[in-house]
Amino acid sequence: MKLLKKLTTHKKELNKVISKNKYINSILINAANLNVGGGIQVAVSFIYEMTQLPDYNFSNINIIVSSKVHRELMILNADTNIFKSYRVIDLIGLKSFFSNFNCEIKKYDVVFSIFGPNYLRKKAKKEIVGFAQPWIIDNSAYPILSTLEKLKTKLSFFAKQFFFKRSNIFIVELEHVQDGLYKKNIAYPGTVHVVYNCISSIYFEPEKWRKLTIDSRNSNFKIGFITRDYIHKNTSILPAIKQILLNRYKLNVDFFVTFNEQEWKSKDANFKSSILNVGSLAVTQCPSFYQAMDAVIFPSLLECFSATPLEAMAMEKPLFASDRRFVRDICNDYAFYFDPHDPSNVADVIATYIHTLHKKDSTRLTAAKEHAINFSTAKDRAKRYLEIIEAELLKKTQ
């Protein structure tokens, strides 16, 4: 209620400014650089939620989205006509530096890149960017890399850090990320807003779920992980976990991942023979994936935030997860925690659950679902984003 009141006040102030200055330029929401990963889901959720705010005037908001974000919004039948403009533009990594869009971005008062960095060489008058690059603020995963990989990774994130530092305002999803930005001198006190990630509203609209056929070889216990094959996701641990479950506990567990074609091709023969891949999923297919699983695993070593734990809990699936702050801050005691570097420990946690709690865990799963639902909502996140954008526009125009 307080958030809604605050947002309404900002709207009234903004309308006064607009009425005094008919030449005021507008806001740009940039999702054109989101082509892979969870950022697509966040962008789709945010833009879709805006279309569900009937009392809000979007006549000064322009949207650019990537082809992948656009496709998901069309599946949801999002009414993009409510915005001043809506265009599909693919800005791919550093190639954006040479994009023709550089000539246009300067005219906007405020640009919000839902997740950065924004690699355009030109800047808007005020740049707001979402930050979700844990390698920049946390060095704990570097030991898993070879010397060459470590050098390449450091160079890559040094470049990203440079582009991030050009931003005026940052939006992060948990407090530890805010702390990290301050410690690395990428941002300064007062320039970082914490807006919690959340479950997309699609999880509460089953009529929009797209069916998914899971190729399960038998009726084994099924554990899923919706993920890209980034090194920090720690997917290479899965075959060892499967083998230990079989050898030590006589449990034949099927593990499912969602790699794209290129990622799957790059895996070795042992991985391919041990793990099942369902391929990349559309946002509307994710709930069906969770439905088909008996549990969800989240062995990640490094995150700013991941919606996977929340989604697993919302779908009332037991969650086996890394014992890390970025999970505990979200899940509290509703996950079953393990050491992500130790496949033996992971197997022990999974086996204990299957032998003692499987099919007897409904009360805890229901409580976990309530926790996930109440953690944050897609509508609240959308309103908070808009509040930050409008506050910066008011500063710029006063």
Side-chain angles (χ1 to χ4, degrees):
M1 205 68 181
K2 192 182 289 185
L3 178 62
L4 187 58
K5 187 176 180 182
K6 214 172 180 182
L7 190 59
T8 304
T9 303
H10 277 302
K11 283 165 59 181
K12 287 178 180 176
E13 291 175 4
L14 185 62
N15 287 335
K16 287 178 185 176
V17 173
I18 292 172
S19 64
K20 288 178 183 177
N21 184 3
K22 65 179 180 178
Y23 298 108
I24 186 172
N25 268 318
S26 46
I27 296 162
L28 174 70
I29 293 173
N30 171 26
N33 62 329
L34 301 177
N35 302 286
V36 296
I40 293 173
Q41 291 192 43
V42 175
V44 170
S45 173
F46 172 41
I47 296 168
Y48 177 73
E49 287 302 327
M50 282 195 286
T51 68
Q52 303 302 299
L53 295 173
D55 298 327
Y56 201 91
N57 179 9
F58 294 105
S59 61
N60 66 323
I61 290 184
N62 303 271
I63 308 280
I64 58 171
V65 298
S66 67
S67 300
K68 291 188 177 179
V69 172
H70 174 68
R71 183 170 64 243
E72 299 289 348
L73 287 168
M74 294 305 98
I75 290 171
L76 292 172
N77 294 317
D79 181 12
T80 58
N81 293 317
I82 66 171
F83 303 113
K84 183 176 182 181
S85 70
Y86 173 91
R87 288 178 291 167
V88 181
I89 301 172
D90 286 304
L91 298 175
I92 312 293
L94 280 168
K95 292 179 182 177
S96 309
F97 193 79
F98 305 101
S99 167
N100 291 333
F101 196 73
N102 281 284
C103 301
E104 184 176 335
I105 194 169
K106 297 183 294 182
K107 77 178 186 181
Y108 296 101
D109 284 297
V110 176
V111 171
F112 171 38
S113 295
I114 298 173
F115 286 108
N118 174 2
Y119 289 114
L120 293 167
R121 67 180 183 275
K122 300 292 186 181
K123 286 184 61 179
K125 298 178 181 72
K126 182 68 70 78
E127 294 267 357
I128 304 172
V129 65
F131 182 92
Q133 298 283 347
W135 289 87
I136 293 176
I137 59 170
D138 187 342
N139 295 324
S140 64
Y142 277 98
I144 68 173
L145 303 177
S146 68
T147 302
L148 183 58
E149 287 174 328
K150 196 178 295 184
L151 179 61
K152 286 180 178 178
T153 303
K154 285 189 174 181
L155 286 172
S156 169
F157 285 104
F158 178 80
K160 290 182 179 183
Q161 183 172 327
F162 169 79
F163 282 97
F164 271 119
K165 290 183 83 167
R166 299 168 73 225
S167 305
N168 306 101
I169 298 292
F170 296 85
I171 296 178
V172 301
E173 297 169 316
L174 283 174
E175 285 79 4
H176 78 278
V177 186
Q178 182 183 51
D179 297 341
L181 286 174
Y182 291 154
K183 286 177 184 176
K184 290 286 184 179
N185 293 319
I186 296 169
Y188 304 96
T191 64
V192 182
H193 299 274
V194 180
V195 181
Y196 293 140
N197 201 335
C198 60
I199 307 160
S200 170
S201 58
I202 191 70
Y203 284 87
F204 311 110
E205 300 173 301
E207 69 279 4
K208 293 181 179 176
W209 297 356
R210 287 171 59 191
K211 290 183 179 179
L212 185 67
T213 301
I214 298 293
D215 180 23
S216 181
R217 296 167 182 167
N218 45 49
S219 57
N220 292 341
F221 192 84
K222 298 184 287 297
I223 300 179
F225 186 17
I226 294 180
T227 184
R228 293 291 308 277
D229 192 29
Y230 301 128
I231 193 165
H232 66 275
K233 295 296 185 179
N234 198 28
T235 59
S236 59
I237 199 175
L238 298 179
I241 299 168
K242 179 179 175 67
Q243 197 61 45
I244 295 168
L245 285 167
L246 182 61
N247 295 342
R248 184 183 299 170
Y249 295 104
K250 310 305 177 191
L251 289 171
N252 202 337
V253 175
D254 286 340
F255 286 88
F256 294 81
V257 293
T258 59
F259 295 170
N260 64 31
E261 188 176 344
Q262 184 178 353
E263 289 167 341
W264 184 246
K265 282 181 178 178
S266 71
K267 306 309 287 185
D268 61 32
N270 178 52
F271 192 98
K272 290 180 180 177
S273 64
S274 303
I275 309 302
L276 297 165
N277 182 38
V278 301
S280 297
L281 301 182
V283 173
T284 47
Q285 290 176 306
C286 293
S288 298
F289 177 86
Y290 288 119
Q291 265 190 329
M293 297 296 118
D294 294 304
V296 174
I297 191 167
F298 187 66
S300 184
L301 301 172
L302 203 61
E303 299 286 344
C304 284
F305 190 108
S306 173
T308 297
L310 285 175
E311 292 164 357
M313 291 189 292
M315 294 298 293
E316 295 188 78
K317 299 297 176 180
L319 174 67
F320 308 121
S322 298
D323 192 358
R324 293 290 187 271
R325 180 181 170 186
F326 56 78
V327 184
R328 285 192 175 273
D329 283 356
I330 299 167
C331 300
N332 296 339
D333 295 327
Y334 292 111
F336 298 94
Y337 294 103
F338 54 68
D339 178 354
H341 291 293
D342 185 355
S344 182
N345 177 240
V346 182
D348 291 345
V349 170
I350 294 171
T352 299
Y353 178 86
I354 293 174
H355 284 145
T356 61
L357 289 174
H358 183 40
K359 297 183 179 178
K360 303 174 188 176
D361 198 27
S362 59
T363 301
R364 193 195 61 83
L365 290 175
T366 300
K369 179 179 181 178
E370 288 301 312
H371 171 76
I373 291 170
N374 293 322
F375 184 83
S376 177
T377 70
K379 183 171 287 188
D380 286 343
R381 176 175 62 186
K383 288 179 178 179
R384 182 74 182 112
Y385 281 171
L386 290 168
E387 181 187 56
I388 293 167
I389 292 166
E390 291 183 346
E392 293 306 315
L393 183 57
L394 282 167
K395 288 180 191 176
K396 185 71 194 137
T397 53
Q398 284 175 341

